[in-house]
Amino acid sequence: MAAVAAATRWRLLLVLSAAGLRVTGAPQPPNILLLLMDDMGWGDLGVYGEPSRETPNLDRMAAEGMLFPNFYTANPLCSPSRAALLTGRLPIRSGFYTTNGHARNAYTPQEIVGGIPDSELLLPELLKEAGYTSKIVGKWHLGHRPQFHPLKHGFDEWFGSPNCHFGPYDNKARPNIPVYRDREMVGRFYEEFPINLKTGEANLTQIYLQEALDFVKRQQAAHRPFFLYWAIDATHAPVYASRPFLGTSRRGRYGDAVREIDDGVGRILHLLRDLSIAENTFVFFTSDNGAALISAPRQGGSNGPFLCGKQTTFEGGMREPAIAWWPGHIPAGQVSHQLGNIMDLFTTSLSLAGLAPPRDRAIDGLDLLPTVLQGRLTDRPIFYYRGNTLMAVTLGQYKAHLWTWTNSWEEFRQGVDFCPGQNVSGVTTHSQEERTKLPLVFHLGRDPGERYPLSIASTEYLDALRWITPVVRQHQEALVPGQPQLNVCNRAVMNWAPPGCEKLGKCLTPPESVPEKCSWPH
């Protein structure tokens, strides 16, 4: 209750200050750290049951804070989920989808023409109203072109890349992915920032960690509230770790990457305590989508008991590890069964800052402060989108699949498998199966692995459908999709000669090319 009262007090003080009334002794709003992992699965942490128990710092973070077993992303792929986090909106509202194919996943490769629209209001832009300084460390993934740069969308600082560490490329047909410090390119992956694909050695996690630590120290010294978005990508294939962590995990190279991340989180939380700002810093840890089972077991993680993984709208693709930590405010050792979503981090962060969400647009994220501070539960649906298609919805413990699909038979026969070892007849289909009239319904409490659909003749099925159907209808009738941003590709927009490349002597000439429809995997 004291924490809620404090939050209310600083919101009131912000309102009075905005009205021009002098307020003495106004408390500083809490710092906000969002730690977003890449392709990390629900089952990758010891606290979620991973048997090797190699994440002591994250397990301790959960013991000191609140664990969310039922936390979801807004899309089973990287770019749309990150757009959702920073806008508080489903990706279909912000245009982070494609219409080049029904239910096709899409993201922002180098040749993509689109990105985050100027019309979208991102979290760091809004936090400026409360005096926050914001930094992104790591992967942006919301567009490569200059108008999509994170410093044009509210961030004050950036160290990282517009994409994942794919490569290496030949710098002829395709350049290596650039790395930026703010607006200046400071190198490229596999060149100034080496990644050894054979051994898995790279120092990127250590570099990203030092960027985070330095930023926190500077903002604390300046007595400014800060927002740090630590979006690192070591657990995305090709996975990597620095030399001290290579070969230390029972889980192989992927486990090495997880152990290094765990160590980094521990060092960040230790610094907050050392600087005596832990009680004024809200920290949330989660992942952008489920583990990429297509890369497992050597290059991918675990989704625990859940079905399938990244790219799918089964639980393994959408349910994420999630931990909230705020000493002195969040009671230790709590587990919340609130249905949470990555979009909630937008609304919750604004609430922490004493700000209201924008009222001129639909906001899908909930304010989780009543949950983390008082243990309240709020009924809400979870919508599972894949591209432009609503595939499923969860309400309470019931999940209704309106469409089922893993990937195409063509891809599957070529060895591309999003659900290895998990074939469930009539559920993990390789053709797009519409079930809008008679959805497949699962009780996720009894059947978290989505293996036993309810009988359509049962009273339970009919009751669940009566509950879910009006929610789906209302959502679809009110939905206004944004202009699709992920339809058009053009190799001419790849990052060949960004600002600062002259200094590196690596300004390259793009090949002649014309815009075309992006060809997305099935």
Side-chain angles (χ1 to χ4, degrees), residues 44-59:
D44 278 331
L45 308 186
V47 71
Y48 282 100
E50 201 290 311
S52 299
R53 301 285 174 171
E54 295 179 341
T55 53
N57 294 292
L58 285 160
D59 297 349

Side-chain angles (χ1 to χ4, degrees), residues 134-213:
S134 300
K135 177 164 185 163
I136 171 175
V137 175
K139 178 171 161 182
W140 169 237
H141 226 14
L142 300 186
H144 288 255
R145 302 172 71 193
Q147 64 266 40
F148 306 129
H149 194 288
L151 269 61
K152 291 194 174 181
H153 291 272
F155 283 102
D156 301 291
E157 299 182 22
W158 179 29
F159 183 88
S161 170
N163 206 324
C164 199
H165 54 282
F166 298 120
Y169 301 117
D170 61 8
N171 283 329
K172 295 177 182 177
R174 181 181 295 269
N176 280 318
I177 305 288
V179 176
Y180 285 88
R181 179 173 297 285
D182 300 332
R183 288 186 170 84
E184 181 180 4
M185 191 188 86
V186 293
R188 295 181 187 270
F189 290 137
Y190 301 95
E191 298 177 26
E192 290 78 12
F193 297 92
I195 303 169
N196 187 318
L197 294 182
K198 183 176 180 181
T199 65
E201 182 178 351
N203 288 324
L204 288 167
T205 299
Q206 293 302 310
I207 294 170
Y208 293 150
L209 173 61
Q210 196 59 51
E211 287 290 325
L213 299 176

Side-chain angles (χ1 to χ4, degrees), residues 147-418:
Q147 64 266 40
F148 306 129
H149 194 288
L151 269 61
K152 291 194 174 181
H153 291 272
F155 283 102
D156 301 291
E157 299 182 22
W158 179 29
F159 183 88
S161 170
N163 206 324
C164 199
H165 54 282
F166 298 120
Y169 301 117
D170 61 8
N171 283 329
K172 295 177 182 177
R174 181 181 295 269
N176 280 318
I177 305 288
V179 176
Y180 285 88
R181 179 173 297 285
D182 300 332
R183 288 186 170 84
E184 181 180 4
M185 191 188 86
V186 293
R188 295 181 187 270
F189 290 137
Y190 301 95
E191 298 177 26
E192 290 78 12
F193 297 92
I195 303 169
N196 187 318
L197 294 182
K198 183 176 180 181
T199 65
E201 182 178 351
N203 288 324
L204 288 167
T205 299
Q206 293 302 310
I207 294 170
Y208 293 150
L209 173 61
Q210 196 59 51
E211 287 290 325
L213 299 176
D214 290 346
F215 177 73
V216 169
K217 291 175 186 175
R218 283 190 284 111
Q219 302 315 309
Q220 190 273 340
H223 304 289
R224 286 191 297 255
F226 61 84
F227 167 46
L228 174 61
Y229 176 41
W230 200 55
I232 63 174
D233 68 352
T235 45
H236 188 297
V239 299
Y240 60 78
S242 62
R243 185 171 298 176
F245 290 91
L246 284 174
T248 65
S249 171
R250 292 170 180 261
R251 303 179 64 195
R253 191 179 299 176
Y254 181 87
D256 296 340
V258 173
R259 290 198 68 190
E260 184 166 18
I261 288 170
D262 177 77
D263 179 77
V265 171
R267 289 178 61 186
I268 290 171
L269 300 186
H270 184 75
L271 175 64
L272 296 176
R273 288 194 175 98
D274 278 355
L275 296 177
S276 300
I277 58 173
E279 293 193 358
N280 196 41
T281 305
F282 176 85
V283 185
F284 201 97
F285 176 95
T286 190
S287 179
D288 62 345
N289 47 250
L293 299 187
I294 189 174
S295 304
R298 293 174 183 250
Q299 298 274 333
S302 166
N303 294 315
F306 303 119
L307 186 61
C308 300
K310 177 181 178 177
Q311 302 250 19
T312 78
T313 49
F314 298 106
E315 290 295 287
M318 299 282 287
R319 204 186 291 212
E320 310 305 327
I323 304 169
W325 185 87
W326 191 11
H329 301 270
I330 298 175
Q334 300 297 301
V335 176
S336 174
H337 293 285
Q338 172 68 47
L339 291 182
N341 195 288
I342 202 167
M343 298 177 291
D344 301 343
L345 300 180
F346 172 89
T347 310
T348 304
S349 296
L350 291 179
S351 183
L352 285 163
L355 302 172
R359 299 181 185 221
D360 62 344
R361 62 199 65 208
I363 298 295
D364 299 293
L366 293 182
D367 180 2
L368 291 179
L369 281 188
T371 298
V372 298
L373 300 179
Q374 298 174 294
R376 290 187 194 170
L377 299 180
T378 302
D379 286 335
R380 61 94 66 87
I382 297 293
F383 296 112
Y384 301 68
Y385 271 89
R386 181 168 171 169
N388 61 350
T389 304
L390 179 61
M391 303 287 287
V393 62
T394 286
L395 199 57
Q397 299 217 69
Y398 291 98
K399 179 177 182 181
H401 286 270
L402 310 177
W403 291 81
T404 55
W405 190 35
T406 55
N407 62 335
S408 70
W409 277 113
E410 178 186 4
E411 281 191 341
F412 182 69
R413 290 181 181 121
Q414 292 172 355
V416 178
D417 190 354
F418 295 157

